[in-house]
Amino acid sequence: MLTKWLRKILPGKPAAASLKQVLPPTEHGISPDGISYAAEKVVSRLHQAGFEAYVVGGAVRDLLLGIEPKDFDVATNARPEQVRKVFRRSRIIGRRFQIVHVMVGQETIEVTTFRGGKRPARQNELGRIMQDNSYGSMEQDAARRDFTCNALYYNPARQEITDFHHGVADIRAKRLVMIGDARSRYQEDPVRMLRAARLSGKLGFQVAPDTAAPIAECLHLLPKEPLARLFDEVMKLLFSGAAVDCLKQMQTLGMGGAAVHPLLTCALERLPENNGRGIVALALHSTDKRLREDLGVSVGFVLAAVLWPQVRENWQRGQAGGLKPMPALSAAVGDMRGRMEKGWGVPQRFAASMREIWLLQPQFEHRRGARPFRLLAQPRFRAAYDFLLLRAQAGEADQAVADWWTSFQEADEELRKQMIQSAEQRPAAEGDAPAKKRRRRRKKKPAAEQAGEVQAMQREGSAE
């Protein structure tokens, strides 16, 4: 009570509420058409049920930047079980902090309850928040978010943005600013360091000095994060549509030498390979381009490219040790598989795709007999062929071989036979079996004639 009375009569820092800004449509410029139908429906239904509800976070940030949001999140003062009652197609998930997934048509909207700071969250010995189901007001929720650009609340009905931490100004200045003390916020959730690199790299933001400074001394916390959560954040970075810029931003922030995750380590180490024209850089540039053009990408293919330099080196080492190409590659792939299964968090469906792509690479050298047709019939042929093109582009596979397979796919049956005949006239590739001569089958003699010969042989034997 004394503290509250002193704050009333003594000058001091302005209260957080004095920072609150409510921006009308004329000041922020967001069009209502930019809000997805599903998000607008969720907000509207919560309003009808008597609750506060806002579109929040990255979607509002992207709309201010003129970027079409990939997904929409909603924040409300309704508790998870209350949200669940409002929406039949919904489910409560999460242990650390419960959220509700609301399904509207084919779209899923993530609904979170305003977080508060009244009840201390359960933390581990390193300061990381382990459980945080404490609820509060919108202002308290804004203070608990990571960066100012993500602490914006948009009301579709009134078309207003509520901003507690000058997030709109920071977005316009292309500045990434942590809310609160950055060191404490990284200790609460170390993944925020990767998020800082991803957001600044993807959006072209400058990380504020106070936000960047503690990263180097907090990096040791990242490998201690739950494996699934860390892998998920690595995937968000690699498939952000700006993976190359995000990796460069990691180096700028002093995260380049940290053993955060083997996938990131390999990507960071191999990105400059061949003056930026190595297979890792080519694959990530191509992935960024496809994502910007809203085209599909294969996770297994991209991960296969990121880890290929390690597989390739072990493959070459095995051949130098006397193994033939296929056994040497199988050993290299087996070694990589063993390492991935020791705690990389790579789902089996991606790991299996990577192994198949790698193991099919030597098969492209064999262009004789029925082998090309068998390879063409492989379910993973297209991904393996694209990988061959990538290797050729990086200068580590024969471009003539890649061109041959490009033509072979497009050719009709007669032309394919001619291409194989031409290939058979060239020297065989290592591992290619020489063309076998067709044996002529001896015609069987009639049964009566065979019986006569047998009887003759028996008479000769008895005479002797």
Side-chain angles (χ1 to χ4, degrees):
M1 295 295 293
L2 179 61
T3 304
K4 289 183 178 179
W5 179 75
L6 286 172
R7 282 178 180 170
K8 288 181 180 180
I9 63 173
L10 294 176
K13 291 184 178 180
S18 66
L19 299 177
K20 178 179 176 180
Q21 293 179 300
V22 179
L23 284 70
T26 53
E27 291 189 32
H28 59 69
I30 291 179
S31 169
D33 296 337
I35 307 298
S36 79
Y37 167 77
E40 193 170 358
K41 184 174 181 179
V42 169
V43 171
S44 176
R45 287 277 300 277
L46 287 169
H47 285 172
Q48 291 170 11
F51 299 107
E52 293 180 64
Y54 304 85
V55 175
V56 67
V60 184
R61 177 201 67 218
D62 289 348
L63 287 169
L64 285 169
L65 290 168
I67 300 170
E68 183 179 353
K70 296 295 182 184
D71 48 49
F72 288 82
D73 298 334
V74 169
T76 177
N77 63 344
R79 302 293 178 90
E81 59 275 10
Q82 293 173 319
V83 176
R84 179 75 180 84
K85 287 181 180 179
V86 174
F87 299 98
R88 182 177 57 83
R89 294 185 62 209
S90 63
R91 57 177 179 172
I92 298 174
I93 65 168
R95 291 182 180 178
R96 184 167 170 261
F97 184 76
Q98 287 188 333
I99 60 177
V100 184
H101 279 175
V102 178
M103 283 69 78
V104 181
Q106 299 297 315
E107 195 171 349
T108 299
I109 303 297
E110 189 172 281
V111 181
T112 59
T113 304
F114 294 147
R115 286 173 292 179
K118 295 179 181 178
R119 184 157 54 93
R122 186 164 66 85
Q123 296 175 303
N124 65 9
E125 65 280 2
L126 299 173
R128 180 180 181 272
I129 295 177
M130 304 302 293
Q131 189 173 11
D132 187 21
N133 286 318
S134 60
Y135 307 119
S137 65
M138 180 168 65
E139 182 179 352
Q140 290 173 323
D141 184 73
R144 295 293 304 276
R145 293 187 177 268
D146 48 15
F147 304 104
T148 60
C149 63
N150 291 335
L152 300 171
Y153 301 77
Y154 179 77
N155 184 335
R158 299 175 64 90
Q159 299 180 33
E160 294 175 341
I161 289 179
T162 303
D163 180 2
F164 292 96
H165 299 281
H166 300 300
V168 173
D170 288 334
I171 289 173
R172 288 171 177 167
K174 290 192 172 292
R175 191 167 50 226
L176 192 70
V177 182
M178 179 69 75
I179 298 171
D181 178 66
R183 183 179 287 100
S184 300
R185 304 309 304 280
Y186 292 142
Q187 289 174 344
E188 289 174 2
D189 186 358
V191 166
R192 285 172 177 150
M193 290 180 277
L194 282 176
R195 205 170 294 152
R198 173 167 60 86
L199 286 176
S200 58
K202 178 182 178 179
L203 302 174
F205 281 20
Q206 182 73 31
V207 182
D210 290 347
T211 301
I215 287 179
E217 61 186 82
C218 294
L219 274 176
H220 68 282
L221 300 172
L222 266 172
K224 300 173 184 177
E225 279 294 283
L227 197 59
R229 190 161 182 263
L230 193 58
F231 178 78
D232 183 57
E233 198 62 36
V234 170
M235 290 297 96
K236 286 180 181 178
L237 190 149
L238 292 179
F239 295 91
S240 63
V244 175
D245 292 329
C246 292
L247 290 170
K248 290 178 179 177
Q249 190 67 2
M250 282 187 67
Q251 294 171 325
T252 301
L253 294 172
M255 303 171 70
V260 175
H261 191 281
L263 283 168
L264 283 182
T265 300
C266 190
L268 286 164
E269 288 178 352
R270 304 293 181 159
L271 195 62
E273 197 171 58
N274 195 17
N275 294 321
R277 299 292 298 169
I279 193 167
V280 173
L282 290 173
L284 293 180
H285 277 298
S286 175
T287 301
D288 290 346
K289 183 174 182 293
R290 289 184 65 84
L291 287 170
R292 285 194 295 268
E293 294 173 354
D294 205 22
L295 298 174
V297 296
S298 165
V299 175
F301 182 90
V302 176
L303 297 187
V306 169
L307 295 176
W308 173 251
Q310 291 185 10
V311 175
R312 180 190 63 216
E313 289 176 0
N314 288 339
W315 183 24
Q316 293 170 343
R317 194 176 296 116
Q319 292 181 84
L323 291 176
K324 289 186 176 180
M326 198 61 216
L329 181 58
S330 296
V333 172
D335 177 69
M336 180 59 72
R337 178 179 185 176
R339 281 189 279 167
M340 281 194 292
E341 290 177 350
K342 287 181 180 178
W344 286 25
V346 180
Q348 178 58 31
R349 65 185 186 278
F350 298 150
S353 176
M354 293 156 62
R355 291 195 300 271
E356 291 175 21
I357 289 171
W358 290 334
L359 289 171
L360 287 175
Q361 294 309 299
Q363 303 301 321
F364 288 102
E365 298 292 337
H366 308 314
R367 292 168 285 164
R368 294 166 166 245
R371 278 188 164 190
F373 293 100
R374 289 200 297 267
L375 180 56
L376 197 63
Q378 289 284 341
R380 198 69 67 178
F381 169 81
R382 184 67 198 190
Y385 162 74
D386 289 340
F387 199 79
L388 171 69
L389 296 183
L390 197 63
R391 291 176 58 221
Q393 192 179 356
E396 64 170 76
D398 190 349
Q399 186 63 51
V401 173
D403 293 341
W404 190 92
W405 280 100
T406 301
S407 300
F408 187 75
Q409 291 177 80
E410 298 171 354
D412 57 25
E413 201 68 20
E414 186 60 35
L415 183 55
R416 286 177 178 176
K417 290 178 181 178
Q418 294 176 13
M419 291 177 70
I420 291 173
Q421 288 175 357
S422 299
E424 287 175 346
Q425 294 172 3
R426 302 191 191 99
E430 188 176 355
D432 255 339
K436 293 182 179 180
K437 293 182 178 180
R438 302 181 76 180
R439 293 182 179 180
R440 290 185 179 179
R441 291 187 178 182
R442 298 177 65 181
K443 292 183 179 180
K444 289 186 178 181
K445 295 180 180 181
E449 188 177 341
Q450 289 183 15
E453 289 181 358
V454 171
Q455 290 174 2
M457 290 172 67
Q458 289 176 342
R459 285 196 298 272
E460 289 175 5
S462 60
E464 291 177 0

